[in-house]
Amino acid sequence: MNMRTEDLLDRLSHEAAPVRPVSIGRARLGLALVALATVALVLALWSPRPQLMDGSADAMTLVLAALFALLAGAAGVTATRLARPAVGAAPGGGLWVFAAILVFPAIALVQQMLGHGDTDQVALGMSCLATGTAMSLFTALFLTLHLRRGAPVLPQRAGLVAGLSAGAVGALAITLECDGTTFAHLAFWHVAILAAWAAIGRFGIARLIRW
């Protein structure tokens, strides 16, 4: 026996239960705490960069660290917002910061091609890439769980910015700890942490948060 549309709607509404909306404020506070804890853990395990301790850190290191912190915040704000369904253009502030950071490896590459670049410190760079990528897992896990509790209508965008936020936290922590001093090292290996997590977020996290 076919059920009338009105009866079906009445039955569905009767069985529906209220769901507490995802708290964006709590998520952002939790994200900040996880990020700070990650940075503190890295510095506790490997100690801060010596140049930071004696106040001799070069401007490039400080600028890149500030951009990593800005990206972690901007992409994190976007990721937490995307847990709620909404209409209109998707926020993309974190993507613009990421694009700005990509200028650094582009400049380093041009310098290398012209023969004016410095060493990229491969052995140290691979260590930084591996450690920074691993230390980004805490932030990635937090954002993935937050997005799974919500209802993101743009899972690819949400996964991408979540990955960028996580990678930026790991890159920031490594930049504050690493002994590497050359521009090429910072531009290639530390930014590579962001590239790795952008891919993980876009193709990995996005799958986990579909509904």
Side-chain angles (χ1 to χ4, degrees):
M1 180 177 180
N2 293 330
M3 182 179 296
R4 294 189 308 165
T5 303
E6 293 81 1
D7 295 335
L8 178 60
L9 292 175
D10 289 340
R11 180 177 177 181
L12 291 175
S13 62
H14 178 72
E15 295 176 352
V19 177
R20 186 174 64 180
V22 173
S23 173
I24 303 300
R26 288 182 180 180
R28 289 172 179 171
L29 176 60
L31 176 61
L33 293 176
V34 170
L36 290 174
T38 299
V39 173
L41 176 62
V42 170
L43 297 182
L45 290 175
W46 292 287
S47 74
R49 176 187 287 267
Q51 295 87 352
L52 290 176
M53 302 302 292
D54 59 21
S56 63
D58 61 284
M60 185 55 60
T61 299
L62 298 177
V63 168
L64 202 54
L67 286 174
F68 287 147
L70 182 60
L71 176 59
V77 166
T78 300
T80 53
R81 174 65 187 86
L82 289 175
R84 286 185 176 179
V87 297
L95 298 179
W96 285 107
V97 180
F98 179 49
I101 292 175
L102 291 180
V103 171
F104 290 88
I107 294 174
L109 180 60
V110 171
Q111 288 181 336
Q112 294 288 347
M113 293 174 62
L114 295 176
H116 302 306
D118 46 24
T119 175
D120 55 4
Q121 301 173 316
V122 176
L124 179 61
M126 293 182 67
S127 176
C128 288
L129 176 59
T131 304
T133 301
M135 286 298 167
S136 302
L137 283 169
F138 303 109
T139 306
L141 178 60
F142 177 87
L143 287 173
T144 300
L145 293 175
H146 169 72
L147 289 167
R148 283 179 60 87
R149 286 195 297 268
V153 296
L154 298 171
Q156 293 85 2
R157 173 66 67 89
L160 174 60
V161 293
L164 284 175
S165 181
V169 171
L172 172 62
I174 292 303
T175 301
L176 296 178
E177 174 273 331
C178 171
D179 291 334
T181 56
T182 68
F183 174 71
H185 171 78
L186 294 170
F188 287 138
W189 296 104
H190 289 215
V191 175
I193 300 171
L194 301 182
W197 272 102
I200 294 171
R202 173 60 179 80
F203 299 104
I205 296 178
R207 286 190 172 188
L208 298 175
I209 60 178
R210 293 182 185 277
W211 55 283

